[in-house]
Amino acid sequence: MARVQSPARSRPSTYPGWFFLPAAIIYGVLFLLPTFASLYFSLTRWTLFNSTFIGLDNFAQFFREPFLIKGLINTVIYAVVSSGLKVVLGLLLAVLLTSQIAARGYLRSVVFFPVLVSTVGVGITFTVLMHPTQGMINEGLAMLGIKGPGWLVDPNLALISVALVDVWKGVGLATVIYIAGIVAIPQDYYEAARIDGSTPWQSFIYVTLPLCRPATVTVITLSFIGGLRTFDLIWAMTRGGPGFASDTIASVIYKQYQAGFYGLSTAGNVVLFVLIGVLVVPLTMLLNRKEGHE
Amino acid sequence: MAGLELKALHKTYGQVPVIKGVDLSVSHGEFVVFVGPSGCGKSTLLRMIAGLEDITSGELWIGDRLCNAVEPRDRGIAMVFQSYALYPHMTVYDNVGFGLKLARTDKAERDRKIRDAARILQMEHLLDRKPSQLSGGQRQRVAIGRAIVRQPEVFLFDEPLSNLDAALRVDMRMELAKLHQDLGSTMIYVTHDQVEAMTLADKIVVLNGGVVQQVGAPIDLYQRPANLFVAGFIGSPKMNFAEVSVQSINGGMVTVASKDISAVTVAADTKSLKVGDRLTLGVRPHHLSMDASGTLVGGVSLVERLGNETNVSLRLPSGATWLVVLDGDHNLRPAQALQLAIDAEKVVLFDAAGQSLLAAM
Amino acid sequence: MKLLRRYWLTALAILVSGVVFLIPFAFIIMMAFKDRKQAALLDFSWPQGLHLWDNVVEVVTTRNWMLLTAFINSSILTVASVTLLVVFAAMVGFVLQRRKAKWNGLVEFLILAGLMIPPAIVPTIWLLQGLGLFGKLHGLVLVEIAYGLPFSILLYRAFIATIPRDLDEAAIIDGARPFDVFFRVILPLLWPVTVTNIVVQSVAVFNDFTNPLYYLPGNQNATVQLTLYNFQSQFNSSYNLLFTNIALITIPPLIVFLFFNRQIVAGMTAGAVKG
């Protein structure tokens, strides 16, 4: 810099750096520090009071034990299913709720309210509703002459059932995000498309869909990360069961923690961290790059 | 009593110089206008005086104090922003009084000052309103009121009228001139509008590319521009330029001609001239008149009839286009040939470096 | 014809939304009214007799008024963490948006990392123990602040970008010190986004289950979500009480929803439009 002389240097900035301080200390100590510490402790056998370095043994165990591998796969399935359904249903609901139908305010509220309700409460409620014989869902299906499945007791279905409840609770958020995205599209485009002879379906494909892309990016990223990290709903509904059928990495972390395998639990944390990094970073890059082309 | 002294002021952002050594002195009570195209550094210079931008090098004196390292609040300045920058969550009363409150001025004193300012600006009825309830002109008044209560030695205005519509701008311009007369303070005013500059200023500072091009009274700048830039920038419509070559030199008179102009003899500083030199001739559109024996011939390409005057775009034989403003109404047709005389006493010659060759007065 | 179709669509939408979204809530409420025997049937039936008050009394007084303690704990947790969160996040958002500094890039990276990276749980417990904050309510307050900061900072930064810098400068010329510029000029202008922040983060903290489960073990300082979890095993045969508990802890979010619906939606959708 060409500072010949700088008599004004002593003046304090209008935007003082110490404004970062309270946030930086709390975030640094309670989030960053444990994150870095986890990289070390995941390589140890750990009792909280002393730790023995054991190299990559924890990770080796993670990829050797079938139930841990199952947890890894489940996590990805859960995230893909729940975020995929949220995107599709959220978009459909948003289109419906921005169209000319009556009672829009009521419908928006009804769809959105579950977002604000306690996850544990929702989990317990649906555990009861999904009871294989007495549950309301299967009784309702029986009235229609359908024999309902054993939602949470069938090992092949338990994970998907929880993911469906996740969608029930979270689709409202996806919907309002899409509504915000659709409302922001200037009406001119639709009018121009209509003058060009576009049908409502074509308008949806060629106007709504590309122009609410930022909303899609937000919904996918939010719900995918949320799905990968999910713990409370699974814990409230199945505790990872039956057997290990609906275990995810987050529930494995909790189980190992309860069992006192702190090193292994922390390794689970690192695995989840890496998994999110490996899946989400390329995903967001892909989503954002395509947007740049338009 | 506070004048201003700017000594070799420099400002660089990273490696990029924006102010390249400005020297200027402003005496107490003067109304100085910084004018120039956008990006010329005029706003930066003002903000350096205000203390919103650091001074990279050089000295800024306000009154008899070196102010480089002085906090804005201690410089004895007040500033009116282009966007007015009124605090949206405060009433007009609190907006005007905010600075006094920060300075812990006693409440009765503060109230008196706020009401004085409101009276001067005839906005007493607005004091309880929020900025969002005000029109553009009213916001402008509040912004000025906020400056007045500080009783500054120097007022700084950053394009204060550019957000107003044309009619209001004329009104506010006159009010500002009146305010200057009444308060007698030093005022520094940044604008890109040369009409504002010409009408308000005691002294105009023309800036381009971070360098002062010329400092002087408005009429001096109009009549005796120091270089091509000032000549082109000051005056509306813009001055016409033509490449000419020196035909003959006779004492303080030089005769020039070009493809389009048969010959014009102009008083100029002829010391360094010789026959055959390439120069630039500047002629204002108002200094051309219809004359059957004129030295300039061209074809009419566009006519704007304003009633009291007629603007003509003239296509010259060389292909250049000149603008001519003729007094009164003339019903001219496109493609019609027009013969014009140049008022030789009012034209300016510039050398190859763009500096004017005005004869000393 | 078109009108008829619209009418049909509306009716269908209301019907489906009712079945999918309202029946579960109706179920919760009806269960809360039932007695133990009827609740055990788990069916969607009209309560025989009104047992709501009995249920409420029993849920609240169980285990030495644990639910009441939990409500107090959750309130303290929510108010304390959201208050500090809002002030600290606004300060960071302000300086981050206004000042062009070399380390802005790093700060932004850390914010995004905070939104993505799952917290390292056992190391955090280890650290809290070292600081004497493990199992303490104020320890959890700090954790909630740490986890909530990235989102709140992003909300604030986006909003501050819409406040013209001229205002800061006008305040400086008026003689404001940096502290005054922020607390007297900028912070009051942030009120809309502050409301959004308060509402969104309050709901998140109040409903948080995972962090209290890990960082606040023990019954004497449980939060409402933990009591629900604990009751789940205890009331295994008393579904009426379990659902009364669910109904009770749904009341605060319901109130927030009724009064601040708009702000919540605004906060949660922020960034969706601009991406």
Side-chain angles (χ1 to χ4, degrees):
Chain A
M1 261 212 241
R3 280 182 185 270
V4 182
Q5 59 185 100
S6 180
R9 270 206 107 113
S10 59
R11 290 202 301 118
S13 164
T14 319
Y15 309 117
W18 66 263
F19 271 34
F20 282 134
L21 217 56
I25 290 174
I26 295 176
Y27 187 73
V29 171
L30 290 175
F31 183 79
L32 293 180
L33 203 58
T35 301
F36 285 115
S38 71
L39 298 179
Y40 169 72
F41 285 120
S42 64
L43 303 174
T44 66
R45 187 172 296 120
W46 189 24
T47 65
L48 287 187
F49 301 105
N50 53 59
S51 54
T52 324
F53 188 82
I54 54 168
L56 294 170
D57 276 11
N58 286 326
F59 294 99
Q61 193 179 355
F62 222 97
F63 292 101
R64 209 168 42 229
E65 297 274 357
F67 74 95
L68 295 178
I69 297 173
K70 175 95 176 146
L72 192 70
I73 296 167
N74 278 351
T75 306
V76 178
I77 294 175
Y78 185 95
V80 170
V81 169
S82 62
S83 63
L85 283 177
K86 281 179 197 173
V87 169
V88 173
L89 294 175
L91 180 57
L92 284 180
L93 282 168
V95 170
L96 185 71
L97 294 182
T98 48
S99 69
Q100 294 293 324
I101 70 165
R104 272 178 295 177
Y106 155 79
L107 287 169
R108 267 183 220 196
S109 304
V110 163
V111 173
F112 184 69
F113 183 58
V115 172
L116 304 181
V117 176
S118 146
T119 312
V120 180
V122 169
I124 293 173
T125 307
F126 272 90
T127 311
V128 171
L129 294 176
M130 285 177 162
H131 191 283
T133 52
Q134 290 174 284
M136 222 186 74
I137 295 177
N138 280 359
E139 285 187 351
L141 290 175
M143 280 198 294
L144 301 172
I146 304 167
K147 188 181 179 316
W151 298 102
L152 297 169
V153 294
D154 181 347
N156 294 322
L157 201 59
L159 184 75
I160 302 298
S161 301
V162 180
L164 290 179
V165 177
D166 193 328
V167 173
W168 180 87
K169 181 169 160 40
V171 74
L173 181 56
T175 306
V176 293
I177 292 175
Y178 266 120
I179 289 176
I182 290 174
V183 168
I185 300 173
Q187 208 55 38
D188 302 6
Y189 292 121
Y190 290 102
E191 289 169 359
R194 258 176 68 191
I195 287 171
D196 287 342
S198 152
T199 64
W201 172 249
Q202 286 169 324
S203 294
F204 172 75
I205 294 292
Y206 296 111
V207 180
T208 310
L209 219 46
L211 288 181
C212 70
R213 186 184 187 92
T216 308
V217 174
T218 309
V219 171
I220 291 179
T221 329
L222 270 184
S223 56
F224 193 67
I225 295 176
L228 290 173
R229 288 169 59 163
T230 207
F231 168 72
D232 39 11
L233 194 61
I234 286 177
W235 199 248
M237 293 186 74
T238 66
R239 314 256 150 118
F244 305 111
S246 61
D247 257 328
T248 62
I249 299 180
S251 71
V252 167
I253 292 171
Y254 184 65
K255 284 178 173 176
Q256 300 305 327
Y257 161 70
Q258 272 190 316
F261 298 126
Y262 299 132
L264 190 59
S265 173
T266 307
N269 242 313
V270 174
V271 170
L272 182 54
F273 168 29
V274 172
L275 185 70
I276 290 179
V278 165
L279 295 180
V280 175
V281 171
L283 180 71
T284 44
M285 272 163 58
L286 182 79
L287 291 171
N288 288 326
R289 193 187 53 208
K290 277 200 178 159
E291 188 181 28
H293 278 304
E294 283 164 22
Chain B
M1 303 294 271
L4 254 84
E5 198 73 42
L6 279 57
K7 292 181 183 162
L9 281 190
H10 281 82
K11 171 83 190 171
T12 55
Y13 289 117
Q15 301 294 326
V16 186
V18 272
I19 299 293
K20 304 167 189 166
V22 168
D23 293 281
L24 181 69
S25 73
V26 175
S27 47
H28 177 76
E30 237 178 345
F31 199 123
V32 177
V33 175
F34 293 173
V35 65
S38 59
C40 70
K42 57 190 189 295
S43 277
T44 308
L45 194 57
L46 189 80
R47 292 163 57 82
M48 286 161 80
I49 296 171
L52 295 172
E53 300 278 356
D54 284 346
I55 293 165
T56 306
S57 70
E59 290 179 358
L60 167 69
W61 293 78
I62 298 176
D64 47 12
R65 263 197 320 163
L66 178 62
C67 281
N68 287 35
V70 175
E71 284 291 317
R73 62 171 171 271
D74 301 324
R75 290 189 181 193
I77 49 116
M79 183 158 167
V80 175
F81 291 80
Q82 180 175 5
S83 66
Y84 318 137
L86 303 181
Y87 312 118
H89 56 303
M90 298 183 195
T91 60
V92 168
Y93 184 92
D94 290 332
N95 258 288
V96 175
F98 186 62
L100 299 172
K101 207 175 197 170
L102 289 171
R104 306 223 155 72
T105 311
D106 142 273
K107 203 168 171 204
E109 166 90 350
R110 199 164 79 210
D111 187 68
R112 191 182 55 74
K113 285 188 172 171
I114 294 170
R115 291 190 188 284
D116 279 353
R119 195 166 28 72
I120 294 172
L121 294 165
Q122 296 159 6
M123 58 173 198
E124 287 139 304
H125 59 295
L126 302 176
L127 284 175
D128 293 329
R129 296 206 200 158
K130 291 270 181 75
S132 57
Q133 299 165 300
L134 303 177
S135 69
Q138 289 169 330
R139 286 179 202 189
Q140 176 72 74
R141 270 168 214 278
V142 178
I144 295 171
R146 192 167 63 183
I148 290 178
V149 288
R150 292 176 57 75
Q151 295 175 322
E153 306 274 10
V154 182
F155 281 89
L156 305 175
F157 295 92
D158 190 3
E159 310 216 13
L161 305 184
S162 58
N163 282 349
L164 299 177
D165 63 50
L168 207 51
R169 206 178 304 170
V170 175
D171 291 348
M172 283 310 292
R173 205 169 73 204
M174 291 177 181
E175 287 203 41
L176 278 176
K178 189 167 168 299
L179 193 71
H180 178 236
Q181 277 175 11
D182 294 348
L183 297 176
S185 329
T186 311
M187 292 190 173
I188 299 180
Y189 186 107
V190 163
T191 183
H192 61 265
D193 181 325
Q194 51 141 323
V195 178
E196 277 173 30
M198 296 294 285
T199 50
L200 286 170
D202 295 324
K203 184 150 104 187
I204 292 181
V205 178
V206 182
L207 282 152
N208 189 35
V211 176
V212 173
Q213 302 292 322
Q214 190 174 6
V215 179
I219 203 66
D220 280 350
L221 264 57
Y222 183 82
Q223 290 174 343
R224 301 176 61 80
N227 55 35
L228 271 174
F229 178 81
V230 176
F233 191 79
I234 299 286
S236 173
K238 268 184 74 162
M239 186 180 258
N240 299 303
F241 294 110
E243 296 292 324
V244 293
S245 61
V246 176
Q247 304 296 311
S248 63
I249 300 168
N250 181 11
M253 302 300 281
V254 55
T255 303
V256 295
S258 77
K259 210 171 161 193
D260 299 322
I261 302 160
S262 52
V264 184
T265 303
V266 184
D269 177 6
T270 54
K271 279 195 294 291
S272 57
L273 290 183
K274 56 184 191 298
V275 172
D277 278 353
R278 314 287 301 173
L279 302 177
T280 303
L281 176 73
V283 183
R284 296 204 181 272
H286 286 92
H287 298 155
L288 292 159
S289 54
M290 285 209 275
D291 188 334
S293 61
T295 52
L296 188 71
V297 180
V300 173
S301 65
L302 204 69
V303 183
E304 293 172 335
R305 294 169 67 184
L306 301 175
N308 61 338
E309 56 186 27
T310 307
N311 297 347
V312 184
S313 286
L314 203 65
R315 193 144 184 89
L316 301 185
S318 68
T321 301
W322 274 30
L323 196 74
V324 182
V325 176
L326 301 170
D327 277 342
D329 187 38
H330 301 272
N331 189 7
L332 299 171
R333 304 202 176 288
Q336 179 180 343
L338 213 56
Q339 190 152 27
L340 298 162
I342 296 172
D343 184 348
E345 287 186 5
K346 291 178 177 164
V347 303
V348 189
L349 275 175
F350 301 91
D351 65 16
Q355 297 302 309
S356 72
L357 296 167
L358 288 162
M361 281 174 78
Chain C
M1 177 60 205
K2 208 174 160 190
L3 207 70
L4 198 71
R5 227 181 61 198
R6 185 183 302 166
Y7 177 80
W8 261 105
L9 201 61
T10 306
L12 188 72
I14 290 175
L15 184 74
V16 171
S17 71
V19 170
V20 174
F21 289 102
L22 286 187
I23 284 187
F25 287 108
F27 182 74
I28 295 172
I29 294 166
M30 287 191 328
M31 287 293 267
F33 275 91
K34 292 173 182 176
D35 63 10
R36 186 167 156 182
K37 234 171 84 193
Q38 197 197 355
L41 297 173
L42 303 182
D43 59 351
F44 190 71
S45 60
W46 197 252
Q48 295 157 351
L50 297 178
H51 302 280
L52 178 64
W53 183 245
D54 302 339
N55 290 340
V56 170
V57 170
E58 197 174 341
V59 167
V60 173
T61 54
T62 305
R63 289 211 204 162
N64 206 7
W65 300 81
M66 191 166 126
L67 188 61
L68 194 66
T69 320
F71 257 102
I72 295 171
N73 281 338
S74 279
S75 309
I76 296 174
L77 174 69
T78 307
V79 171
S81 48
V82 172
T83 308
L84 294 176
L85 187 55
V86 160
V87 175
F88 296 162
M91 286 162 71
V92 174
F94 176 60
V95 178
L96 187 62
Q97 199 279 324
R98 286 295 201 249
R99 189 153 114 174
K100 302 262 168 292
K102 292 185 283 292
W103 25 284
N104 273 4
L106 176 70
V107 175
E108 273 160 36
F109 171 78
L110 291 178
I111 289 170
L112 289 181
L115 290 174
M116 276 171 56
I117 297 175
I121 287 154
V122 189
T124 309
I125 292 173
W126 167 73
L127 205 86
L128 287 171
Q129 275 184 340
L131 296 170
L133 294 171
F134 182 61
K136 303 273 170 52
L137 201 55
H138 50 277
L140 186 57
V141 167
L142 293 177
V143 170
E144 296 286 4
I145 296 172
Y147 295 174
L149 275 171
F151 179 74
S152 289
I153 292 173
L154 285 187
L155 273 189
Y156 272 118
R157 196 188 56 169
F159 192 85
I160 289 166
T162 66
I163 296 178
R165 205 181 271 261
D166 283 3
L167 280 185
D168 313 3
E169 294 178 342
I172 296 166
I173 300 270
D174 269 343
R177 287 161 173 81
F179 197 78
D180 296 315
V181 173
F182 179 71
F183 283 97
R184 296 173 83 157
V185 177
I186 300 298
L187 197 57
L189 294 176
L190 299 180
W191 185 239
V193 73
T194 299
V195 172
T196 303
N197 251 315
I198 290 175
V199 172
V200 172
Q201 297 286 17
S202 297
V203 171
V205 173
F206 186 84
N207 281 339
D208 187 14
F209 166 68
T210 313
N211 296 318
L213 180 71
Y214 277 117
Y215 307 129
L216 204 60
N219 280 334
Q220 68 284 3
N221 49 13
T223 66
V224 287
Q225 307 299 327
L226 285 183
T227 59
L228 184 57
Y229 173 66
N230 294 336
F231 287 173
Q232 194 185 2
S233 33
Q234 193 195 344
F235 292 156
N236 218 345
S237 50
S238 322
Y239 282 104
N240 54 331
L241 300 184
L242 192 57
F243 279 90
T244 307
N245 194 342
I246 295 176
L248 286 178
I249 67 166
T250 306
I251 292 173
L254 181 66
I255 293 172
V256 167
F257 175 70
L258 292 177
F259 287 98
F260 298 104
N261 190 2
R262 213 161 38 85
Q263 282 87 350
I264 301 176
V265 171
M268 291 189 166
T269 55
V273 181
K274 272 168 66 199

